[in-house]
Structures are given as C-alpha cells and as structure tokens.
Amino acid sequence: MVLLDIRNLSIDFHVGKDIVHALRDVNMQIKAGSRTAIVGESGSGKSVTSLAVLRLLPTTAHVESGAIDYDGRDLLTLNESELHTVRGRKIAMIFQHAMASLNPLYPVGQQIADIYRHHFGGSKQDAWARAVEVLGETGIPNPEARARDYPYQFSGGMAQRVLIAMALVCKPALLIADEPTSGLDVTIQTQVLDLIERVVAELDATLMLITHDIAVVYATCDRVIVMYAGKVMESGTLDQVFGRSANPYTIELLKCFEETGVDQMPFIPGRVPDMRDTWPGCSFAVRCLFAKEVCHQQEPPVIELEPDHLSACHFARELQTQGVQVAPAADGGEHGEEMSS
Amino acid sequence: MMAAPTPLITVDAATKTYKLRSRSLRRVNMTALDRISLVINRGETVGLVGESGSGKSTLGRAILHLTDLDSGKIVYNGNEIQSLSESEFRPYRRKLQMVFQNPLTSFNPMMTMESALLDSMRLVSELDLNTKRRRVLQLLDQVELSSRFATLYPYEMSGGQLQRAAIARALAPDPDFIFLDEPTAALDMSIRGQIINLLLRLQRETSVSFIFVSHDLRLIRYIADRVLVMYQGQLVESGDKAQIFDHPQHAYTQKLLSATFVGQAERAQARSRTET
C-alpha cells in the first residue's frame, strides 16, 4: 500500500532575478511500513521534497505542478488549519541540526508536552508525564530531571534524541528524518540510527530518511530512491538499487563508497549542473561515462526493470544485463556509437 | 617511501588544559592534549582520527603555534618552536600551513582568489610581486583550476573548487607541513575522491608532509601512511595503516570501522539473514 504518493512535482525557487528549478517532475511512492531512503548530493532536491511534504518550504518556493497524496488527500491543497492536523500528528519530522530545531528558552519537556497538548488536549500534568515517558523511551537517562533541562544542556546526540522523542510523542504514521546524523560523531550516529529504526518499528510507522551517505542507507533502510539534479534517477528495494543498479549515476555513486584498494580514490568527474539552467536530455549525461547522443537530446524514460525497480535511463536494461561492463565512450565526449558488450 | 625517514616535526609530551566553567559555574579543567608524543616525517601523511573533543584540532593549533602548550615540546626541523614569541615564530609561519573543513568560511568573501593567494605569500620575502602573480597561476594550475579562477570571488565557486583553492593557498608559501582538518567533510561524496587524489599527487610533487584529520576511515586508508587515534586528549593507538585497519585495538577504532560503508553493508547482510 502506498502511504505517500508524490506525482509530477515541480518546484522553482525565485532567488533575486534567477529561477532555480529545484524539483523537475518528481514522481515517488513511499510504501506504508517501509524504511525508504532518499539519497542524493547537495542540490539534488531531496530536502526540498521532504519540506514540500510538510509544506514547510520558504516563501521563495513556488510549486509549479504536481500533487502529494497522503491518506487520500492532496497535502498541497490543504489550508493552514487542516495542515495543523497533519504536521506532527500524522507526519513528523526530524531535522539535521537538532539544537537549532529546539527553542532555547524553554525546557525540552515542556516543548514536547506542548506538542502533545496541541494535538490531544488533556491536562498539563498528563502531557508532562507523557513527555517524560517518551524521553525515557529514547534512552535519555534520568528523564524526569532531564525534561526540566534546557536545550543548551544537551549534547548533539542527546538533543537529537529529544527531537526523536518530540516526533514520536504523537505516534505519527510517517516519520521524515532529514540528515538526522550529520554533524554527530560516527559512534553516536550508529546509536541515533538504531534508535530511529527501533522507534519506527515500535510505532509501526513508515520512515522516509534523507541522506547523502550510503552507509546510513545500509544501516537503516530497506528501500532507496536516488535523486540527482532535481530528478529521481532510480528507485526500488535496497537489493535492487544497490545490488543490481540499472542507472549510471547510482553505479558511479556506489563506486565512490567502495573499497577498491587501488591508489586512486574513485570519484565522478565534473560537477552537478547549475540548477538555474534547463536542458533537453538526461541531467547526468554530461558526467556519464555511458552517455550517447540520445542522452543529450531526449529525456530518459522511466523503465520498470522488475516490479518496484524503476530507472530513468535510456539504457537501463542494457546496463542491468551487461552490468558495469558497458564500454565507456572514449574521452567521455564521443557520441553516436553503439552500446557494445 | 624514502629509505630512512627524516623527522620533520617532533611533538614531545605536549599537554594542554583548557580552564572552563561548568554549568554550576564551578571551575573545571578539560585536558585537550594529555602528554601527546609523535613524529611526522618528511613527505609523510599521518591520518588522525578521534571523536569531537578528543583534541585533534588543538594538536593542529599547537603545531601551527596558534595555541600555547602547558608543557611539552614541539620541534620543527631541529628548532624548538613552542616557546617562541609570535615575532620569533614568524619565519616558520609560512612553512606550517592549514586547510580547514569548510572552504566557504575560510576565505575572505571580499577577496578574489588571486588576492587570497597573494595574501598567503605575504611572508615570502624572496619573491617580488610579479613573480608571485605568476606563481598564483601556477598554483591554480597545480590544483587543476584554470587561470580564470584568479579573478573569481568565493561565492562564484563550488565547494570542491574552493577547497582546491584552499589547498593552493596553503601551498603558496612553499610549506613543509599542512594540517588538513577534515578537508573533505563539507564536500559531496562524488567529488571527495578528486580532492584526495589531488593531495596524493601534490605530495609526490612537493614532498610536503600532511596530518589528515577525518572521521572517514576510507579516506584515511587512501591517503595515510600511518594512523593515529586520539581519545579524550590521549593518543590511544598508533601504527601503520594495515595494522590499524586489520587489528584495531581501541574500542573507539573498532566502532569507527564498523560504521563505515563496508561495515554497514555487512551489518545489512547479517540483518537480512536473520529476517529470512
């Protein structure tokens, strides 16, 4: 069952005289009960997508087209009071900088209790008790006392736990975590990811995890959506996308994380395109080792390789049957030659 | 590697304690460096790992004479440098350089790349301005940036390009040593390799020594000859690369290894085995 269905979503940012085309006809489905990762580099549109779901985009953003269906309703058409019944209650979000997401002037327990009362009412005492309870559930030691502490009294990892407690107090059906572990120590990262995974399982919720780190995907998720330059490049199960990649960008990105044991570290030549520009073909074509004439001229179709496994590449099938052995174009710039095996 | 390594920098029992006030305003001491001793050889890359607060950056600041030590010695090229005054240290300043994590905040936004690189050569008295200008273009070329970047401001460049320029700036005064403080952490995964390969090549060309700080053991594996592990101000593990990766001794090193891509992939496999 599809919990969140994003269809043909295009979002522009108006920055001064420039128009940045951040999302370009994005389609993705988040299945209920899945732990779906959205992977991409900076500027790929992964955070914009997640902010659009909760309608938290800045005023410079303009939704040009598309729909975000959740629970039979298009979130993009909800008014402000309808949104309040969704945000926090049905869909909760954890942000990258935990400390910046907390109000420095109030004890953390009160901030959690406020959210609980906003959605469920009840007495202040009950809400406070519930706040202490969820703080304890996230593994914060001595939660009764810590609930009275202010954000500055928490370390980065502990503040992230507070944020997770805040997200789970209303038992949301969908939890969106936007780079929840960047900025934390590697050893703390694992703890926070474990906690998120446990909380999602206990709530029987769905997880949408935004990250640029493939190690995080492996640690936490069972499905992956790969984004590049405002588009979805590939999606499917962890096994399909990482094990049987059918998109050159995914293949190249994975190489950057592999242990190759050679002297040179792998990287993707070139840089991400300027998102103010538009182009006729595939966004990755200029950096793609396998790019042919058609890639520069026509937008790639989304090919369904097997159920759930989608790839936006003209040569998705060839890539998958031939693996990464497809002969790269000489000097990366030559077009028009046949795909050879 | 050279046959007989010559020590460039020797740190001997360096100790540094910061005096802080706790929440209840009591005085507390935080030992950032606890009797740290190490040797950095010419042309060598030492990987430095450790969690935040373990003293990595303090070590870099101490070597660059940006922080006083409470006790201990730092010897550069046979000269004891930690006790020097700022003016006495000046001749050494250009020989010890640093590259920071975030390239955008480590450049003056009002300066073009040319003026930033010229500024870095201010203490280089043997070259005249015209020679320095030519050197700017050479340096940019060395880090694979074309000459048009000389006239660009930081905001006109991508993170990866700026970090190349930061490396060029560190190389400008012809240093013997560069402290690289997580130079790729703010960059996307797909271009980290470009910076690592660049550093590897520059080292072959100039025989500069590096301390490379990173949380990413994969990068350390590519770039470092030896690895040091710091934990709470102490050096808890040191050895050549293979030794640290194959037989990590300290619990922190073991945790770091399990958090890498390969470690997580193994974990994912183990999990899918138990689920089925």
Side-chain angles (χ1 to χ4, degrees):
Chain A
M1 192 197 103
V2 175
L3 182 69
L4 188 73
D5 189 6
I6 299 177
R7 280 177 286 117
N8 307 106
L9 187 62
S10 293
I11 293 178
D12 288 352
F13 283 80
H14 294 243
V15 187
K17 283 176 292 182
D18 295 325
I19 298 179
V20 177
H21 308 289
L23 292 190
R24 304 173 181 215
D25 197 26
V26 164
N27 286 285
M28 63 171 74
Q29 296 188 327
I30 309 289
K31 289 206 176 353
S34 71
R35 303 183 301 265
T36 304
I38 302 185
V39 190
E41 301 177 69
S42 42
S44 62
K46 54 193 193 307
S47 287
V48 175
T49 306
S50 66
L51 290 174
V53 171
L54 277 178
R55 297 265 301 276
L56 292 171
L57 292 163
T59 52
T60 50
H62 297 264
V63 177
E64 296 299 311
S65 70
I68 302 177
D69 284 345
Y70 174 84
D71 211 5
R73 286 192 294 182
D74 181 2
L75 294 176
L76 294 175
T77 62
L78 299 188
N79 64 32
E80 205 50 37
S81 70
E82 288 170 325
L83 267 177
H84 278 296
T85 65
V86 174
R87 279 188 197 142
R89 175 69 189 88
K90 305 268 180 60
I91 306 175
M93 188 152 178
I94 306 167
F95 294 93
Q96 182 169 359
H97 300 290
M99 213 53 102
S101 308
L102 293 164
N103 187 328
L105 298 177
Y106 295 96
V108 298
Q110 190 185 335
Q111 297 184 47
I112 299 170
D114 282 351
I115 290 175
Y116 185 77
R117 287 192 77 213
H118 174 86
H119 289 292
F120 298 101
S123 71
K124 284 186 177 175
Q125 287 78 6
D126 286 348
W128 182 265
R130 182 84 186 104
V132 170
E133 192 184 324
V134 287
L135 282 172
E137 280 169 25
T138 59
I140 292 177
N142 198 6
E144 295 85 0
R146 292 298 266 161
R148 286 190 292 274
D149 280 348
Y150 290 82
Y152 78 93
Q153 293 166 308
F154 288 81
S155 66
M158 283 294 160
Q160 197 57 275
R161 284 175 195 272
V162 172
L163 227 63
I164 294 169
M166 198 179 268
L168 74 93
V169 69
C170 295
K171 301 193 193 307
L174 174 64
L175 180 65
I176 303 177
D178 189 355
E179 302 271 11
T181 56
S182 50
L184 297 178
D185 265 323
V186 178
T187 50
I188 310 290
Q189 281 185 10
T190 318
Q191 292 172 14
V192 169
L193 290 174
D194 284 345
L195 174 63
I196 289 175
E197 202 180 331
R198 181 171 60 84
V199 161
V200 167
E202 280 169 10
L203 292 178
D204 206 11
T206 303
L207 175 68
M208 182 170 157
L209 187 132
I210 320 290
T211 183
H212 67 276
D213 187 348
I214 282 178
V216 168
V217 180
Y218 263 111
T220 320
C221 298
D222 54 11
R223 304 182 67 85
V224 198
I225 297 170
V226 181
M227 291 188 76
Y228 181 78
K231 292 190 177 191
V232 173
M233 303 300 278
E234 190 170 8
S235 63
T237 63
L238 201 63
D239 201 33
Q240 287 170 335
V241 176
F242 287 175
R244 302 190 292 280
S245 306
N247 191 290
Y249 177 63
T250 316
I251 292 168
E252 293 299 314
L253 191 65
L254 281 170
K255 271 194 216 158
C256 294
F257 286 85
E258 275 165 9
E259 310 266 352
T260 56
V262 293
D263 292 345
Q264 292 277 303
M265 192 174 151
F267 62 93
I268 305 179
R271 54 184 291 202
V272 292
D274 189 326
M275 295 302 284
R276 290 172 297 191
D277 297 340
T278 54
W279 46 84
C282 170
S283 307
F284 189 60
V286 285
R287 299 174 80 185
C288 181
L289 290 171
F290 315 121
K292 307 284 172 245
E293 190 87 48
V294 61
C295 302
H296 295 275
Q297 286 162 358
Q298 282 176 33
E299 190 155 333
V302 177
I303 295 174
E304 184 167 19
L305 296 132
E306 35 188 286
D308 284 354
H309 189 188
L310 306 176
S311 171
C313 175
H314 289 288
F315 300 103
R317 285 188 204 286
E318 288 86 339
L319 275 173
Q320 209 184 28
T321 49
Q322 296 164 11
V324 225
Q325 306 307 320
V326 179
D331 288 319
E334 289 199 24
H335 310 310
E337 33 173 19
E338 285 298 301
M339 296 279 280
S340 55
S341 55
Chain B
M1 280 306 299
M2 280 160 286
T6 38
L8 178 73
I9 294 167
T10 309
V11 179
D12 184 19
T15 298
K16 171 77 186 176
T17 303
Y18 290 110
K19 292 178 178 58
L20 306 170
R21 283 189 187 273
S22 73
R23 225 192 293 166
S24 52
L25 296 181
R26 251 182 301 120
R27 283 172 214 277
V28 288
N29 291 335
M30 206 196 72
T31 306
L33 299 179
D34 190 357
R35 288 160 291 153
I36 297 277
S37 296
L38 56 99
V39 176
I40 301 149
N41 295 316
R42 251 177 218 287
E44 177 187 47
T45 299
V46 176
L48 179 59
V49 299
E51 59 186 359
S52 44
S54 62
K56 306 184 300 287
S57 295
T58 303
L59 176 64
R61 293 180 59 83
I63 295 173
L64 265 75
H65 208 263
L66 300 168
T67 286
D68 293 332
L69 290 179
D70 298 336
S71 64
K73 275 199 299 195
I74 295 175
V75 178
Y76 160 71
N77 226 356
N79 306 294
E80 234 179 79
I81 53 170
Q82 92 286 348
S83 53
L84 300 179
S85 71
E86 183 51 39
S87 61
E88 290 169 325
F89 180 72
R90 184 135 309 163
Y92 302 104
R93 171 77 60 212
R94 53 178 284 206
K95 290 292 180 187
L96 305 167
Q97 290 287 319
M98 198 154 182
V99 172
F100 298 93
Q101 183 179 128
N102 190 340
L104 199 61
T105 55
S106 61
F107 277 94
N108 184 335
M110 310 293 282
M111 276 184 167
T112 62
M113 290 304 113
E114 181 180 42
S115 33
L117 265 65
L118 285 175
D119 196 44
S120 167
M121 286 188 275
R122 213 165 30 177
L123 296 175
V124 180
S125 47
E126 71 269 16
L127 302 179
D128 62 32
L129 186 61
N130 279 331
T131 319
K132 285 181 182 173
R133 286 225 163 96
R134 279 198 298 277
R135 181 157 164 76
V136 166
L137 297 181
Q138 281 167 10
L139 286 161
L140 288 175
D141 184 54
Q142 244 184 323
V143 297
E144 292 150 29
L145 293 175
S146 68
S147 55
R148 78 180 175 91
F149 283 94
T151 57
L152 295 189
Y153 289 92
Y155 76 91
E156 297 174 292
M157 295 165 61
S158 73
Q161 290 164 345
L162 263 181
Q163 199 58 294
R164 287 162 191 278
I167 292 166
R169 178 176 61 180
L171 287 171
D174 191 24
D176 287 329
F177 170 75
I178 304 178
F179 191 86
L180 301 156
D181 199 350
E182 302 201 49
T184 58
L187 303 179
D188 270 318
M189 225 33 238
S190 76
I191 57 165
R192 281 185 194 181
Q194 297 178 9
I195 299 293
I196 297 297
N197 295 339
L198 172 69
L199 290 168
L200 285 167
R201 182 173 58 85
L202 291 172
Q203 190 169 49
R204 280 197 303 273
E205 288 169 7
T206 62
S207 76
V208 62
S209 304
F210 294 138
I211 283 186
F212 184 92
V213 179
S214 181
H215 292 290
D216 188 339
L217 289 182
R218 224 171 57 87
L219 301 185
I220 298 268
R221 184 172 281 192
Y222 275 104
I223 201 167
D225 304 307
R226 285 189 297 134
V227 184
L228 304 175
V229 183
M230 285 184 76
Y231 188 74
Q232 295 181 353
Q234 292 181 337
L235 210 56
V236 292
E237 193 162 352
S238 79
D240 67 36
K241 197 162 39 171
Q243 185 186 332
I244 301 269
F245 281 102
D246 297 342
H247 307 286
Q249 298 299 312
H250 196 263
Y252 179 70
T253 324
Q254 289 163 1
K255 272 193 207 162
L256 271 183
L257 275 171
S258 71
T260 58
F261 173 63
V262 170
Q264 294 293 6
E266 282 166 2
R267 194 177 112 133
Q269 275 167 9
R271 187 170 53 194
S272 68
R273 271 199 299 275
T274 56
E275 278 173 6
T276 49

